[in-house]
Amino acid sequence: MEDDRLIPSLWMGSDGPADLDHDKSIRAAMEFERRSGKVFPRFNSIEDADDFAISRSKSGGALKSDLFR
């Protein structure tokens, strides 16, 4: 599956974190969005994604801010 979107590659499963390869990550992200109606952020570049991640981490990360739109 060829896709250049930047999506999560670390997923929390019932057995703890699962580090998925790129294709499995894309399928998991698309399925999650379809089921939940939530949308992961999209970025135009790796730099934009990095800036977002750094800013989100500095403001408390997953415990303090919602990732979805």
Side-chain angles (χ1 to χ4, degrees):
M1 173 181 279
E2 184 61 33
D3 196 311
D4 60 358
R5 285 180 289 175
L6 302 171
I7 46 85
S9 60
L10 182 64
W11 291 81
M12 221 24 148
S14 57
D15 297 327
D19 192 11
L20 304 180
D21 68 33
H22 187 69
D23 289 346
K24 288 179 182 177
S25 294
I26 291 169
R27 286 193 292 272
M30 291 171 66
E31 176 62 18
F32 177 84
E33 288 182 338
R34 186 191 65 74
R35 280 186 294 109
S36 69
K38 296 178 178 182
V39 178
F40 288 109
R42 283 5 184 217
F43 304 98
N44 294 319
S45 69
I46 291 173
E47 291 79 17
D48 289 347
D50 285 345
D51 290 345
F52 172 84
I54 291 167
S55 174
R56 186 166 181 257
S57 291
K58 285 181 179 177
S59 67
L63 298 176
K64 298 288 184 179
S65 65
D66 194 8
L67 178 61
F68 309 101
R69 292 186 256 165

